[in-house]
Amino acid sequence: MSVGLLLITHKNLGKVMLETVKVVTEDQKKVVGIIEVDWECDPEKIFDQAKIKIQELDSGQGVLVLTDLYGATPCNISNRLFAIPNVRVVTGLNLPMLFKVFNYSDQKLEQLVEKALDGGRAGVMAITKS
Amino acid sequence: MIESEIKIINKLGLHARAAAKLVKLASSFDCEIMIRREMENDNQKTVNGKSIMGVMMLAASKGTDIFLIADGDDEQLAIEQLEFLIKARFEEDE
């Protein structure tokens, strides 16, 4: 049993990132929930969908929700999910964050939050001559 | 502890897929595994061999020499199998 993972992003951002990580790590088996938030979406409907997905993904270890942009609709919807017990939300989803979460997928929920934050931040740097 | 120097020989170097294979293999051992790369100006970069972000950050392209460092009960087997993977070009064609 491991922590469930749900990506809530603008359109298919999360889906494409997930596909990239799965191809690179050759891990096609990992179950990850995806919710695509379209420009014309109804946030209430998305919220209801997300609650159902969380129930499906939670095998007893909680669910980590990764969303893309603080203050935008996907994140605003995700914020409301934080009220559900054993759900944590991290925003600023990028590929390094998702790689890190995959790499440490057997960790407990609170540790996985820290891994998500570490990965997301560590992957941002300016390229210098080396 | 064992330390082994080895050259990256596959065309794309230690790119994401190669890094993922290396990390997956390294993570199967109990011993601690670190990877070091000598940088310019005598600087060094040492990363956790079981961390995919760490290994990718080495940015070790083809021709780069790296040092595999293993420390623990199964260190000998770990070094042998990691060397085999790298010499096999991470199972890539070139």
Side-chain angles (χ1 to χ4, degrees):
Chain A
M1 272 198 315
S2 56
V3 172
L5 193 57
L6 174 61
L7 311 182
I8 301 180
T9 62
H10 285 86
K11 298 197 70 148
N12 67 341
L13 270 181
K15 182 178 170 186
V16 174
M17 282 200 212
L18 178 63
E19 184 188 319
T20 305
V21 173
K22 282 193 166 187
V23 166
V24 168
T25 60
E26 295 177 348
D27 180 358
Q28 296 294 340
K29 289 189 298 191
K30 189 166 179 64
V31 173
V32 178
I34 297 208
I35 289 182
E36 301 183 12
V37 180
D38 214 331
W39 307 120
E40 310 297 328
C41 78
D42 176 351
E44 280 309 310
K45 282 197 178 144
I46 303 283
F47 178 62
D48 290 338
Q49 281 173 22
K51 283 193 293 184
I52 292 169
K53 287 264 187 193
I54 282 172
Q55 274 188 323
E56 291 169 357
L57 293 164
D58 191 356
S59 61
Q61 299 293 314
V63 175
L64 176 62
V65 176
L66 300 181
T67 185
D68 51 17
L69 183 64
Y70 188 78
T73 299
C75 182
N76 293 337
I77 294 168
S78 303
N79 286 348
R80 294 173 61 193
L81 298 169
F82 185 69
I84 302 172
N86 296 320
V87 170
R88 296 290 180 270
V89 180
V90 173
T91 187
L93 171 65
N94 58 12
L95 267 182
M97 179 188 290
L98 196 52
F99 268 110
K100 190 101 175 178
V101 167
F102 257 65
N103 199 180
Y104 293 97
S105 60
D106 57 342
Q107 301 255 310
K108 294 259 188 304
L109 183 56
E110 296 301 338
Q111 280 96 354
L112 204 54
V113 167
E114 291 305 313
K115 293 298 182 197
L117 293 172
D118 287 345
R121 290 168 181 157
V124 179
M125 69 194 87
I127 305 299
T128 54
K129 193 176 173 198
S130 63
Chain B
M1 187 172 82
I2 302 179
E3 184 167 313
S4 161
E5 183 176 3
I6 188 164
K7 194 180 287 289
I8 299 295
I9 57 173
N10 61 309
K11 181 178 171 183
L12 297 178
L14 203 42
H15 65 121
R17 283 190 214 189
K21 285 185 181 164
L22 190 151
V23 164
K24 188 174 176 182
L25 178 58
S27 298
S28 69
F29 298 103
D30 290 331
C31 62
E32 193 180 86
I33 294 174
M34 307 296 286
I35 303 177
R36 190 175 76 242
R37 180 190 160 183
E38 309 286 338
M39 312 291 286
E40 276 184 1
N41 303 324
D42 293 327
N43 288 331
Q44 293 178 343
K45 199 169 193 174
T46 304
V47 300
N48 178 359
K50 298 181 183 182
S51 161
I52 190 161
M53 287 308 304
V55 173
M56 281 203 276
M57 297 249 209
L58 280 177
S61 54
K62 179 180 174 179
T64 304
D65 292 310
I66 59 169
F67 295 81
L68 303 172
I69 305 144
D71 190 6
D73 288 339
D74 50 4
E75 60 191 31
Q76 182 66 44
L77 185 62
I79 291 288
E80 283 170 10
Q81 294 208 359
L82 287 167
E83 284 178 342
F84 186 80
L85 178 66
I86 293 168
K87 286 175 184 172
R89 294 177 161 79
F90 301 98
E91 298 163 355
E92 295 169 2
D93 291 336
E94 50 179 344

